[in-house]
Amino acid sequence: MYYIKSLTTTLIASTVFCTFSAATLASESPSYRFIDLGTLGGSESAALDINDQGVIVGWSTRDNNMGCTSPVSKPMNCEYAFIYQNGAMIDLGHSQDAVQSSHAVAINNHSVAVGYEILRGVNDDTNMGDSYHRPVRFEQGAPQTLPVLSNKPLDSAMAVDINDQGKIIGWADNQSGQDTLVSWQSDAISAEAPHNTYYRRATGLNNLGDVVGFEYEAWSYKPNRAFIYKHGQVSVIDEREGVMSEMNAINDYGMIAGSKMVRAMTPLKATIWYPSMLGGVAEHVVGGLQQTSREESAFNDINRSGTAVGFSSSSDTIQATVYYRGKLYDLNRLVSAPGWLQTAEAVNERGDIVGIYVNKDNQRRAFLLEAQ
């Protein structure tokens, strides 16, 4: 059973939930100013996180020379992690020439960012080229490789989040090739909650050290199962057979953003989990913009006010969304943009949102929505 940090946290989170539920009809829609963050010289970019000072991280291309190789062995433009502050996008580069892509995916309020690099190697079984990931921390304008559990060829690891205390979480292949929940502190890696059967990956971390993620059985065709990890214990949220769930972010009040199936073999629906006064968490399945059974949706992030951001997808379109004071909005209807906002990736405590939109040339671009 998952228990929250304290009764005070429970009451605060419950109050927030009740306030937002009651305000569904009374709330005014949020207002934003749209900003295209540009690129490092190429045609595409993506904004993946923003801290409370408005510093943004993500990736961008430098040119259109197709000088790198994608994970599916196709030519692609090389991607470079960036940090965006004071109106300028700064190139964070690659740690070595063999890197095909580097992505900065999370940043804390001390402007320390983490992410991963994608490299190419040779698969000993097939004697063909293959891709693998290495975790990095971006500090002082450059990527620094983090330690891993296994240095075998093509074994992977990724850093996915960092809190204000400098704790980093992610996942890494162990010596047996099993995805393992890991943390990094002071440049040391630690395996957390290893399991004989389940592969585990972390996806989010708060300032209390609580971790969310998902687990799965390799080669079983069973769906992912969301979990909360705290005080050394893993608590799976929904253990029903065939029901997929994923948690993507947890705020300091214990509210969690993600997605889940309402029942087996149905599309994922955007979901928020709130701490319960009875212990554990209570789920609120928000769903998508159209509220249809075939629509897929998810929340990628949530701030302490309970504002969650993500996407809603139907058969012919994908739309960036914000859940604000109990109501789900299509961000495309709240701003005027030179293209289509597809995914909202992160929201800070001020309510500023970053993500990815597709411009009129069908190119992915990083955007910022400044809360007004």
Side-chain angles (χ1 to χ4, degrees):
M1 177 63 71
Y2 161 61
Y3 294 95
I4 60 168
K5 187 69 72 172
S6 67
L7 180 60
T8 301
T9 305
T10 308
L11 293 173
I12 291 173
S14 299
T15 301
V16 171
F17 172 66
C18 293
T19 301
F20 289 172
S21 297
T24 300
L25 297 178
S27 65
E28 295 183 358
S29 61
S31 177
Y32 303 99
R33 183 170 74 98
F34 173 87
I35 300 173
D36 182 321
L37 299 183
T39 72
L40 294 172
S43 58
E44 295 195 312
S45 59
L48 303 179
D49 199 16
I50 180 171
N51 69 14
D52 295 339
Q53 287 75 50
V55 183
I56 301 165
V57 292
W59 63 263
S60 172
T61 56
R62 288 178 178 172
D63 53 47
N64 300 313
N65 295 334
M66 307 292 281
C68 287
T69 304
S70 75
V72 293
S73 301
K74 292 184 178 181
M76 59 172 277
N77 291 321
C78 303
E79 297 168 352
Y80 297 84
F82 73 74
I83 187 168
Y84 182 96
Q85 56 186 339
N86 301 322
M89 183 179 288
I90 301 169
D91 191 336
L92 296 176
H94 292 168
S95 66
Q96 54 181 294
D97 292 340
V99 173
Q100 305 296 299
S101 298
S102 63
H103 292 182
V105 301
I107 185 169
N108 66 14
N109 284 322
H110 303 292
S111 293
V112 180
V114 297
Y116 59 88
E117 294 182 324
I118 303 175
L119 299 91
R120 296 284 293 177
V122 176
N123 189 317
D124 292 336
D125 295 329
T126 64
N127 202 32
M128 297 176 63
D130 207 346
S131 296
Y132 62 100
H133 299 75
R134 282 290 184 262
V136 291
R137 179 180 60 226
F138 300 93
E139 199 169 11
Q140 297 179 341
Q144 302 170 11
T145 303
L146 294 168
V148 295
L149 296 179
S150 171
N151 284 306
K152 292 181 179 179
L154 303 183
D155 276 356
S156 288
M158 294 174 62
V160 300
D161 206 357
I162 181 171
N163 66 15
D164 290 343
Q165 286 71 49
K167 181 177 181 177
I168 301 169
I169 53 99
W171 63 269
D173 289 339
N174 63 18
Q175 293 293 333
S176 300
Q178 182 181 15
D179 296 355
T180 305
L181 171 66
V182 296
S183 65
W184 291 269
Q185 284 189 304
S186 302
D187 291 326
I189 187 172
S190 299
E192 308 275 359
H195 196 278
N196 291 332
T197 302
Y198 288 104
Y199 288 49
R200 289 174 170 160
R201 295 189 177 192
T203 53
L205 170 73
N206 66 14
N207 284 318
L208 302 177
D210 304 330
V211 176
V212 293
F214 65 88
E215 64 180 22
Y216 66 97
E217 291 186 59
W219 319 116
S220 70
Y221 300 101
K222 294 180 180 179
N224 298 342
R225 309 191 310 176
F227 67 76
I228 302 169
Y229 176 66
K230 61 185 302 180
H231 304 316
Q233 293 187 337
V234 171
S235 299
V236 176
I237 295 304
D238 194 330
E239 299 189 59
R240 289 180 294 163
E241 189 71 23
V243 174
M244 182 174 178
S245 56
E246 293 185 346
M247 292 175 162
N248 297 322
I250 180 170
N251 69 18
D252 291 344
Y253 292 155
M255 292 182 272
I256 301 166
S259 61
K260 67 164 293 181
M261 293 178 178
V262 177
R263 57 184 180 276
M265 304 303 291
T266 60
L268 289 164
K269 302 295 183 183
T271 302
I272 299 175
W273 289 266
Y274 297 91
S276 169
M277 294 185 69
L278 300 177
V281 291
E283 69 181 38
H284 175 43
V285 179
V286 177
L289 293 166
Q290 306 301 322
Q291 293 294 306
T292 62
S293 60
R294 296 183 180 181
E295 187 180 29
E296 183 173 339
S297 56
F299 289 131
N300 296 320
D301 198 14
I302 186 168
N303 66 15
R304 288 197 296 267
S305 298
T307 299
V309 297
F311 70 89
S312 177
S313 175
S314 59
S315 59
D316 58 351
T317 186
I318 179 171
Q319 299 146 284
T321 58
V322 59
Y323 184 71
Y324 177 76
R325 295 185 179 178
K327 187 174 181 179
L328 187 67
Y329 294 91
D330 178 356
L331 284 169
N332 291 281
R333 295 181 176 273
L334 300 180
V335 298
S336 176
W340 191 253
L341 278 60
Q342 287 196 325
T343 63
E345 296 288 339
V347 58
N348 66 10
E349 297 307 326
R350 185 177 177 273
D352 301 326
I353 299 170
V354 295
I356 304 167
Y357 85 101
V358 175
N359 66 16
K360 295 178 180 179
D361 295 321
N362 202 34
Q363 297 164 332
R364 292 172 294 172
R365 297 289 289 246
F367 72 78
L368 165 65
L369 301 184
E370 284 189 340
Q372 300 300 293

